[in-house]
Amino acid sequence: MRQRYPKEAGFTLIEMIVSLAVFAFVVTISVGALLVLISSNQRLQGEQNVMTNLSFILDSMTREIRTGYAYFCAGVMQDNSPVAGGDTKIFSADEHENLSESDENECVSGNGAGSNGATFHGLSFYEGGNSITTGGNENRILYYLDRSSTPYQLMRRISNRPAQVITSSDIEIVDLRFFVTGTANLRDAGDTEQPTVTIFIEARKVGEDKAYQLQTTVTQRVLDL
């Protein structure tokens, strides 16, 4: 008598192929979504780094400018050298020392004009006190954009000391403008407008095209008498 064995259940070849295809499709979609998330996270971290650096710089500048006085802004179209005479003497350490507390210069329309702006342009002012400057005619702080090399950098100079880069190495300053008004004082010119400085900064991460912009207005805290 022939003995019958029970049939074993299992998957057919077609079922295996379909299952593998569905699994491969799901894995592909999942990996693609993961890569997008990683890329987006890296981009957002880069943007956050740029904005954090710019916010820190802007906050530092506004603190010193607000308590300073004798605002003197200027720009100079001079290749590879910040040294010039006249209104642009703030970019030369030697001439910078000769600026007195009565030397002021407005930039009502803003100094610097994007890609066609001055090679060097910035703002010099007397420190409100004598905590970091050396005193006397050297009691000035200077912020300026150096467009003589790439990436463009934001510089800070105290008294006649060498200027220092204050931007991160992976950030390029595309544009920096100072709009200065009301520098004439009440005693000498009858000007009742308190000096104000509007700062506009545009920057981007080195190697990227997307730019980020920040702007703030600072009113001189010292009474303009």
Side-chain angles (χ1 to χ4, degrees):
M1 184 176 179
R2 183 177 297 179
Q3 188 176 2
R4 295 184 179 181
Y5 297 95
K7 293 183 179 180
E8 296 182 1
F11 295 103
T12 66
L13 179 61
I14 294 178
E15 290 174 333
M16 292 292 293
I17 292 175
V18 172
S19 299
L20 289 174
V22 172
F23 176 76
F25 177 76
V26 172
V27 169
T28 301
I29 296 298
S30 301
V31 171
L34 179 61
L35 292 176
V36 170
L37 289 175
I38 293 174
S39 177
S40 298
N41 182 60
Q42 292 176 340
R43 177 176 55 81
L44 291 175
Q45 285 184 346
E47 293 179 358
Q48 183 64 35
N49 289 337
V50 174
M51 295 303 296
T52 299
N53 190 253
L54 289 181
S55 297
F56 176 77
I57 291 171
L58 196 61
D59 183 59
S60 299
M61 292 173 62
T62 54
R63 273 201 313 268
E64 293 183 338
I65 293 173
R66 180 179 292 111
T67 57
Y69 59 97
Y71 301 143
F72 194 108
C73 72
V76 54
M77 288 292 290
Q78 186 164 338
D79 295 337
N80 301 322
S81 174
V83 181
D87 288 345
T88 58
K89 59 188 176 182
I90 65 173
F91 301 104
S92 167
D94 295 334
E95 293 290 337
H96 178 83
E97 298 175 16
N98 297 327
L99 287 174
S100 68
E101 293 185 67
S102 61
D103 286 321
E104 299 167 334
N105 191 47
E106 293 189 355
C107 294
V108 178
S109 300
N111 61 350
S115 60
N116 296 321
T119 304
F120 300 91
H121 58 267
L123 174 69
S124 171
F125 55 93
Y126 255 71
E127 181 195 7
N130 191 20
S131 58
I132 58 175
T133 53
T134 55
N137 287 343
E138 298 177 9
N139 197 26
R140 277 186 174 268
I141 299 173
L142 169 67
Y143 285 102
Y144 70 97
L145 175 62
D146 183 358
R147 300 178 67 249
S148 63
S149 60
T150 54
Y152 299 159
Q153 298 172 323
L154 180 57
M155 312 293 292
R156 176 177 181 254
R157 192 177 74 217
I158 301 173
S159 299
N160 62 342
R161 304 168 197 165
Q164 302 292 326
V165 180
I166 61 174
T167 46
S168 175
S169 59
D170 61 342
I171 293 177
E172 178 180 17
I173 301 298
V174 179
D175 194 10
L176 171 68
R177 307 188 195 188
F178 294 98
F179 299 82
V180 183
T181 60
T183 57
N185 58 46
L186 175 63
R187 178 183 56 199
D188 297 334
D191 178 30
T192 58
E193 180 184 359
Q194 188 73 0
T196 59
V197 178
T198 297
I199 309 168
F200 171 80
I201 301 179
E202 182 177 0
R204 64 188 173 200
K205 193 174 180 62
V206 173
E208 297 184 0
D209 295 328
K210 185 176 180 179
Y212 307 89
Q213 300 176 345
L214 286 179
Q215 179 176 314
T216 188
T217 298
V218 183
T219 301
Q220 179 181 298
R221 182 174 295 174
V222 181
L223 290 180
D224 190 34
L225 299 176

